Amino acid sequence: MSESRDILPVASAGKTGAWLWSELRTRRLDGLGTLIIGLVAAASSVVPVYVLGYLVDQVRAGADTSVIVRVTIIVVVAALLGGAATGLSTLLIARLCGRILADLREKVVGRALTLPTPVLERAGKGDLLSRVGADVATIGQAVSETVPIMVSSLLLGVLSLAAMAGIDWRLGLAGAVAVPLYVIALRWYLPRSAPGYKAEREAIAERGQLLVDSAQGLPTVHAYRLEQRHLGEITTASERARDVSISVFTLFTRFVGRVNRAEFFGLAAILVIGFWLVENGAVTVGQTSAAAVLFHRLFNPIGMLLFSFDRIQAGGASLARLVGVITMPSEPEPSAARVPADASLELSDIDFTYDGTHQVLFSVGFRVEPGERVALVGSTGAGKSTLALIASGALRPERGAALVGGVPVTELPPDQLRRHVAIISQETHVFAGTLLEDLRLAAPDATRDDAVAALRTVGALTWVETLEDGLDTAVGEGGHELTAAQAQQLALARLVLLDPAIAILDEATAEAGSAGARALEESAVAATADRTTLVVAHRLTQAASADRIVVLEHGRTVEHGSHAELVAAGGRYAQLWQAWEGRTPAPVQ
């Protein structure tokens, strides 16, 4: 079995309902207009049946054939009006729900982009992707297909019962006999199906996570011959999702039987009471016929209403998962923003653990003076990247603090933190769009000349000018494919445009390979010129050119000083440098 994860929260039914009600309240006029058109559509469906009873009584009374013409005219007008109103009602309901869903999707994505890194790492990308993918699709299907049917069926049911009660209250009461039976069926079904649909969504999310992990780690899977293991885990997760879906569908078929039972007793009650009322002269045959037909016509809409709970439950489970994301508590905003005194970066007595058990950093502390370039060096797993994320404000330490100009990064508002600190990692994403648009992500107001200057600074203008459309070349998915080195230069050019006081490079030249590493190192130096810079060094040549070097081992600082000082000291750094010079394998990543 795969390792268990702390998935993102799922909102309770009460919280989900409260959120949905608040969204509807903000759209009162749209909701009211939709309700009125829905009532017109339902009333248009009731009128033909009502006049049918009138026709039966007129025929029994020996009326002339002109009554048929009048009834026909009424039925045709009602059908035309009802058809138009039904179509418009469906459109309005879908539009109202679609707008709510669109806003919800944007809020989920917006919240996801601000989630702390540890939360995403614990939950896994699969859970989040299934929410903005499969869950949104499930709700979208409910919005376009199920909700309009549900609303129209509910309104038709209410008006039909009202029409039966208008003929005779006892006929209305007889028809209402089915209502408690419907309620009993729902009360039996809903508590049993809700956990099933929740388990189904979770099973799908688990399967999605396994697929994402296997796809992203495909080279590693092949390298260690883990294909069968991963296929086995995916098969197990898929079988679980299948079994849960089958159990939910089995439960639904039992629910259908209870609905049919309610319909039988309701129609039987109307026919028995109607016969008795006709015998006693309380109602006419036509009125009883109309009541029976009205109830019988409810079989399909009420059945669709009740059966739609199958999809509504699935949509509700998906909605709860999305609301769970947007209602996650945000990081508290600083009560009063402080302005950093300078461009220094200080890490003070940092302790950190990802899981609360295994400590990654132990009382790590050092200061990077304004304009100084400091390199972090150490073995794989020493905690270098973790420390870089803490310095950038992406992670919060268990103890200690990261300070920018004397101000803790946790006290800086996001926009102010972004202006002061920027981090570039070895995993650089090229967004779909033109090259110019990609660059402007860092500075939306940057001019074309600013973009050209930034590219020139990092040495990227040469290859950009060789592109057929230059800055207007489409890159990212479906566009011109950039090499790893070009993508990193693009990220460094964004850094130049953003112009932060402090730059953090987390192995930002690791993807270039041996051939392009030197050129990319020069690009990084140019992009960080005159900036306070913290470099997680992938290549020791980066460390050698730094003003100062901090050596980490097993989460602790073991050495610090200049390149010359550390080589002369003959400690851990000297060992690493000797191995690097001899190009022998060294545990530096």
Side-chain angles (χ1 to χ4, degrees):
M1 292 294 293
S2 62
E3 182 181 355
S4 61
R5 296 179 181 267
D6 298 327
I7 63 172
L8 297 171
V10 178
S12 63
K15 182 178 289 187
T16 304
W19 176 86
L20 184 57
W21 176 246
S22 67
E23 289 294 313
L24 290 173
R25 287 182 61 186
T26 61
R27 298 171 171 83
R28 289 188 183 91
L29 292 179
D30 290 343
L32 180 61
T34 302
L35 179 61
I36 292 174
I37 297 299
L39 286 172
V40 171
S44 299
S45 298
V46 171
V47 169
V49 179
Y50 199 85
V51 298
L52 177 63
Y54 168 78
L55 178 61
V56 170
D57 289 335
Q58 291 298 309
V59 171
R60 283 173 56 85
D64 57 51
T65 56
S66 62
V67 69
I68 299 178
V69 177
R70 294 197 300 272
V71 169
T72 301
I73 292 175
I74 294 174
V75 170
V76 170
V77 172
L80 292 174
L81 180 61
T86 299
L88 182 58
S89 175
T90 301
L91 175 64
L92 292 176
I93 293 172
R95 187 180 68 174
L96 174 62
C97 296
R99 287 176 175 175
I100 294 176
L101 177 60
D103 290 345
L104 175 60
R105 182 169 54 240
E106 291 179 3
K107 290 177 181 177
V108 170
V109 174
R111 185 68 185 95
L113 292 175
T114 61
L115 289 176
T117 301
V119 173
L120 286 177
E121 290 183 345
R122 288 195 301 268
K125 297 178 182 177
D127 183 48
L128 182 59
L129 289 175
S130 69
R131 297 193 188 214
V132 297
D135 287 328
V136 168
T138 299
I139 299 174
Q141 184 180 26
V143 165
S144 62
E145 300 177 8
T146 307
V147 174
I149 293 174
M150 181 179 176
V151 172
S152 62
S153 299
L154 182 62
L155 293 176
L156 180 59
V158 171
L159 287 184
S160 295
L161 286 176
M164 285 187 281
I167 295 172
D168 189 283
W169 66 270
R170 286 162 291 193
L171 288 174
L173 188 61
V177 166
V179 174
L181 298 178
Y182 286 136
V183 173
I184 291 173
L186 279 177
R187 287 177 63 85
W188 174 87
Y189 175 67
L190 294 181
R192 291 169 173 79
S193 61
Y197 282 112
K198 180 181 177 182
E200 185 179 32
R201 303 313 305 168
E202 290 176 351
I204 292 174
E206 180 185 359
R207 181 181 61 190
Q209 178 64 49
L210 288 171
L211 289 171
V212 169
D213 288 345
S214 297
Q216 291 185 339
L218 196 58
T220 303
V221 172
H222 288 325
Y224 291 96
R225 300 294 189 268
L226 299 175
E227 294 91 345
Q228 294 305 317
R229 175 182 172 183
H230 278 252
L231 285 174
E233 291 177 346
I234 293 172
T235 299
T236 301
S238 298
E239 289 175 348
R240 177 173 178 268
R242 177 202 63 197
D243 293 341
V244 172
S245 297
I246 291 175
S247 66
V248 169
F249 183 75
T250 300
L251 189 68
F252 176 69
T253 58
R254 296 173 63 186
F255 171 59
V256 171
R258 285 168 166 78
V259 170
N260 292 337
R261 192 179 307 148
E263 293 170 345
F264 169 78
F265 282 110
L267 184 58
I270 288 177
L271 293 176
V272 171
I273 295 299
F275 178 81
W276 179 76
L277 291 174
V278 170
E279 285 292 310
N280 288 275
V283 297
T284 65
V285 173
Q287 290 173 324
T288 301
S289 300
V293 173
L294 280 171
F295 187 81
H296 187 273
R297 284 194 65 200
L298 289 179
F299 283 7
N300 186 50
I302 288 182
M304 294 177 69
L305 172 63
L306 296 177
F307 299 160
S308 66
F309 274 95
D310 177 60
R311 292 182 179 177
I312 291 297
Q313 285 286 96
S318 295
L319 181 62
R321 285 162 55 80
L322 295 177
V323 174
V325 174
I326 64 174
T327 56
M328 289 179 68
S330 303
E331 295 290 327
E333 290 288 340
S335 55
R338 296 164 56 189
V339 179
D342 53 34
S344 65
L345 173 64
E346 182 177 358
L347 298 167
S348 175
D349 295 325
I350 300 293
D351 285 351
F352 184 81
T353 172
Y354 282 100
D355 56 9
T357 303
H358 302 92
Q359 194 162 339
V360 178
L361 297 173
F362 302 83
S363 301
V364 176
F366 58 87
R367 178 182 172 87
V368 185
E369 297 295 340
E372 186 182 20
R373 187 181 185 87
V374 172
L376 281 178
V377 173
S379 305
T380 300
K384 306 184 298 298
S385 292
T386 299
L387 195 60
L389 290 172
I390 291 174
S392 69
L395 295 179
R396 290 197 173 199
E398 304 294 324
R399 186 176 70 87
L403 301 99
V404 174
V407 180
V409 294
T410 54
E411 295 183 11
L412 290 173
D415 58 340
Q416 190 172 344
L417 177 61
R418 183 172 179 269
R419 289 197 302 269
H420 283 84
V421 183
I423 182 170
I424 298 180
S425 70
Q426 68 183 74
E427 297 179 358
T428 300
H429 183 72
V430 179
F431 294 86
T434 67
L435 196 61
L436 181 60
E437 290 171 343
D438 204 300
L439 286 167
R440 282 176 173 164
L441 290 173
D445 297 331
T447 65
R448 197 178 189 88
D449 290 339
D450 293 334
V452 170
L455 291 169
R456 181 181 292 109
T457 298
V458 301
L461 188 59
T462 302
W463 61 262
V464 170
E465 289 178 338
T466 64
L467 300 176
E468 183 176 353
D469 296 320
L471 283 174
D472 298 317
T473 301
V475 295
E477 185 175 358
H480 177 78
E481 185 175 355
L482 302 182
T483 66
Q486 290 173 343
Q488 285 290 9
Q489 283 187 320
L490 189 60
L492 290 170
R494 289 196 208 111
L495 177 69
V496 174
L497 286 174
L498 181 61
D499 194 25
I502 300 171
I504 300 173
L505 306 183
D506 183 9
E507 300 187 354
T509 63
E511 296 295 327
S514 300
R518 186 59 186 168
L520 198 53
E521 285 177 18
E522 293 175 356
S523 297
V525 170
T528 57
D530 301 324
R531 303 185 203 278
T532 305
T533 307
L534 179 63
V535 181
V536 176
H538 171 70
R539 299 168 59 86
L540 287 189
T541 50
Q542 294 174 286
S545 62
D547 299 319
R548 192 155 46 95
I549 301 168
V550 176
V551 183
L552 293 181
E553 284 296 326
H554 305 296
R556 291 180 169 86
T557 304
V558 295
E559 288 182 305
H560 63 85
S562 68
H563 171 74
E565 291 170 346
L566 294 180
V567 170
R572 176 57 178 158
Y573 180 79
Q575 296 173 0
L576 294 171
W577 181 253
Q578 184 178 8
W580 175 262
E581 281 193 312
R583 295 299 190 269
T584 57
V588 178
Q589 298 292 332

